[in-house]
Amino acid sequence: MPEISVIVPVYRAEAFLRKCTESILSQTFSDLELLLVEDGSPDKSGELCDVIAGEDPRVRVFHKANGGVSSARNLGIEEARGKYIAFADADDWLPPDALALLHAALGKNGADAAGGSHNRVEVDGRSEPEPGALPAGVYGREEIRKGILNRLLGERLGKPGEVLNGFIWRFLFSKEIIAANQITFEGAYLEDELFLLEYFCHVDKLAMIDEPVYYYLQNPVSVTRRYLPDYIHTFERFMEAKIALAEQEGLGEDLPLWQENSNWAGLLIAIGNEFAAGNPAPLAKKRQRVKEFCARAEMAEAIRAIQPQGLSRNKQMVADLVCRGRFFTLSMLYWYKNRNH
């Protein structure tokens, strides 16, 4: 049985898949299997998956009807034979020693998970290093609660160093912990943040390294960068699941405003999404929908309870205008931004 299973959901990935799979199959740590889960892709990604599998016996391919990235990853977890699980997206790639470094850190410290940093890559090839979830070191349950769980949970507005993105691909996970606690992905957006939150509720020891273990391409057509017409309902379901998990695991007791913080963060994303250039609605309709978002009970309570400070320049401007109810000005700023890009 392989030591590590690497799960890659595949959808409209024809242009990127070769680079991704080659970076995995050429790892210095070779005791692995690569699971390509082709999610009903309309291009030739499925055929390419089969070709790649024919070239390396460590590759297994699963073809399924389109169900989204969560269902693809869940199928990969069900089929994984490895003791440990890693995830990658089909438009990204790994440094040659990524799995070796994570596996060594995990084994050396008897940890339940290992994580590293990553490089953010722009479409023009520029690359910027991004720090890991925590500095290099070994962390116990209380440190994981403060350094991972509390930061994923919420109170982080205006605290750039406190923001923790749900980047699952920079960690190595225990298959046993995932299976024993029936941890799965749900939804089409923010699903990775919930997965991390639930997983780290069951981790006694985390090993972190400073080395980059992933190259994250800023793909302009990825799901995190295009207009999502159903975003606000997706966020609702995300918050319901997050609240349920927090209650189940006793999280947030020392973070009285975590829900308001989370709702503010979701509202800022919803506003940016609604005013996205890819949204075909008239500007007046976008403005009306943003006003409706802000009037929702949970969002109105967040706006009442917290006046965000210390955000990035653009987000701070948006938050200030929302707090003052200046929706016309807000819409004109986005109109100007889209017109000049």
Side-chain angles (χ1 to χ4, degrees):
M1 305 295 273
E3 184 77 354
I4 298 176
S5 297
V6 184
I7 298 169
V8 179
V10 179
Y11 184 80
R12 291 188 185 274
E14 190 178 355
F16 308 99
L17 190 58
R18 271 288 181 186
K19 183 170 187 175
C20 174
T21 58
E22 287 176 1
S23 76
I24 295 168
L25 296 172
S26 62
Q27 288 288 299
T28 57
F29 186 95
S30 60
D31 187 11
L32 60 86
E33 66 171 354
L34 171 58
L35 280 65
L36 300 177
V37 185
E38 187 264 318
D39 190 34
S41 185
D43 63 4
K44 294 183 179 180
S45 293
E47 297 173 27
L48 183 55
C49 287
D50 293 332
V51 170
I52 292 168
E55 298 169 351
D56 193 312
R58 295 175 297 170
V59 181
R60 291 194 289 147
V61 178
F62 301 90
H63 299 282
K64 61 184 287 296
N66 180 250
V69 66
S70 288
S71 67
R73 287 176 179 152
N74 289 339
L75 177 57
I77 291 172
E78 289 175 15
E79 297 290 344
R81 298 168 177 165
K83 183 178 180 181
Y84 302 107
I85 290 179
F87 297 96
D89 292 337
D91 50 356
D92 301 328
W93 62 97
L94 279 62
D97 57 353
L99 295 180
L101 290 169
L102 289 172
H103 186 266
L106 194 150
K108 175 184 176 183
N109 297 289
D112 303 307
S117 63
H118 72 279
N119 286 313
R120 187 182 72 252
V121 183
E122 303 295 337
V123 290
D124 62 6
R126 289 180 295 117
S127 178
E128 292 289 336
E130 295 281 348
L134 291 169
V138 181
Y139 299 89
R141 285 190 69 87
E142 187 58 31
E143 296 164 309
I144 291 168
R145 186 181 184 92
K146 292 178 180 177
I148 301 288
L149 295 176
N150 283 358
R151 289 166 64 203
L152 284 171
L153 199 62
E155 289 195 356
R156 59 197 193 187
L157 280 180
K159 304 174 183 176
E162 291 299 307
V163 175
L164 180 58
N165 291 306
F167 295 149
I168 58 167
W169 30 250
R170 57 183 180 179
F171 291 99
L172 187 60
F173 301 93
S174 161
K175 171 71 183 293
E176 182 180 0
I177 289 177
I178 293 172
N181 297 284
Q182 299 180 312
I183 304 172
T184 58
F185 291 91
E186 295 182 25
Y189 193 69
L190 299 169
E191 76 292 336
D192 45 5
E193 185 172 314
L194 277 176
F195 182 91
L196 280 186
L197 192 61
E198 187 169 2
Y199 183 85
F200 279 106
C201 285
H202 304 286
V203 169
D204 291 320
K205 189 182 291 186
L206 165 65
M208 291 295 304
I209 59 175
D210 281 335
E211 291 86 352
V213 296
Y214 201 80
Y215 287 101
Y216 178 32
L217 178 65
Q218 304 301 285
N219 184 353
V221 298
S222 72
V223 69
T224 57
R225 299 170 75 85
R226 65 174 184 259
Y227 171 61
L228 300 171
D230 199 36
Y231 169 78
I232 199 69
H233 299 298
T234 300
F235 182 74
E236 269 186 344
R237 293 191 292 272
F238 164 77
M239 280 301 295
E240 288 171 2
K242 197 172 185 181
I243 291 168
L245 181 62
E247 291 176 350
Q248 175 185 315
E249 300 295 339
L251 305 176
E253 295 170 354
D254 51 346
L255 301 172
L257 292 176
W258 79 260
Q259 290 187 44
E260 288 82 356
N261 272 266
S262 292
N263 281 320
W264 246 120
L267 179 59
L268 290 173
I269 296 172
I271 292 170
N273 178 64
E274 191 61 32
F275 284 119
N279 183 357
L283 186 63
K285 179 65 174 178
K286 296 178 183 179
R287 181 166 60 245
Q288 180 59 34
R289 282 176 56 82
V290 167
K291 289 175 70 174
E292 291 170 0
F293 294 161
C294 295
R296 298 168 73 95
E298 68 278 11
M299 299 303 186
E301 173 58 24
I303 294 168
R304 185 202 64 77
I306 301 171
Q307 291 194 353
Q309 299 295 324
L311 304 178
S312 66
R313 181 176 177 272
N314 289 345
K315 283 189 177 181
Q316 189 65 59
M317 191 180 303
V318 171
D320 290 345
L321 290 170
V322 167
C323 288
R324 293 157 59 192
R326 302 288 295 275
F327 296 105
F328 180 80
T329 304
L330 179 64
S331 65
M332 294 310 295
L333 284 173
Y334 272 103
W335 172 83
Y336 182 80
K337 174 188 174 185
N338 290 336
R339 183 170 176 260
N340 288 275
H341 282 78

